[in-house]
Amino acid sequence: MITTIGVMMLGFIWWSSPVHFLKDVLPEEISRIDVFDGSTGYQFQIERPEEIEYIISNIQNREMRREKVSLGYMGTSYRLTFLDTQDRVVEEFIVNHAETIRKDPFFYTDASAGLCVDYLERLGEQLVKGQ
């Protein structure tokens, strides 16, 4: 029989365990990334394999930790939707800052603040101006 203390310990272990986004995704399995920039309202698609690989590798290399519950929060920096070669959604989440991913019901943080926000901003500027 699991005791209250045992449940609390399991909960703490689960809460504090690292989370890796896009863990089992190979860049070549992704045909495009749909991006919505919540700061500007612009939408764009990333289709070049080297850009897809950079973004996926950047996110996969981050060890994220659950920070707090995200339900009820508004606003988006970059909503990323990863689609495979059959246009099926493989993964979707929001990159809020260089250290924060939001995938409801939680915010996840990475102390290194190394998420590719600047890269997404540059790509967005290039792609939106080129349209």
Side-chain angles (χ1 to χ4, degrees):
M1 186 165 142
I2 298 179
T3 66
T4 303
I5 293 173
V7 170
M8 289 173 55
M9 287 176 54
L10 288 173
F12 176 77
I13 291 168
W14 173 80
W15 180 264
S16 60
S17 63
V19 176
H20 290 89
F21 285 85
L22 304 172
K23 180 179 167 187
D24 298 321
V25 175
L26 297 172
E28 55 270 14
E29 296 173 341
I30 302 300
S31 64
R32 76 174 195 269
I33 304 170
D34 290 344
V35 181
F36 172 74
D37 181 344
S39 301
T40 64
Y42 291 124
Q43 296 183 50
F44 58 93
Q45 295 180 336
I46 299 169
E47 296 176 316
R48 295 175 63 192
E50 63 273 10
E51 294 168 347
I52 291 171
E53 181 175 356
Y54 178 84
I55 292 166
I56 290 174
S57 295
N58 174 269
I59 293 169
Q60 285 176 333
N61 288 327
R62 304 287 158 234
E63 190 170 273
M64 309 299 290
R65 303 270 181 196
R66 289 172 192 84
E67 178 71 20
K68 63 182 177 180
V69 174
S70 64
L71 299 174
Y73 283 87
M74 303 290 287
T76 299
S77 288
Y78 293 100
R79 184 180 61 231
L80 305 179
T81 305
F82 297 81
L83 296 113
D84 67 11
T85 55
Q86 274 76 51
D87 274 345
R88 292 180 300 221
V89 174
V90 173
E91 182 73 80
E92 183 174 49
F93 51 81
I94 297 167
V95 176
N96 269 351
H97 305 285
E99 70 280 345
T100 307
I101 287 179
R102 176 181 171 187
K103 182 167 174 79
D104 288 335
F106 299 111
F107 285 106
Y108 300 83
T109 60
D110 169 40
S112 74
L115 290 169
C116 54
V117 173
D118 292 339
Y119 187 77
L120 290 168
E121 184 177 342
R122 282 192 307 274
L123 281 179
E125 288 173 358
Q126 293 169 3
L127 293 169
V128 170
K129 287 180 183 177
Q131 290 181 354

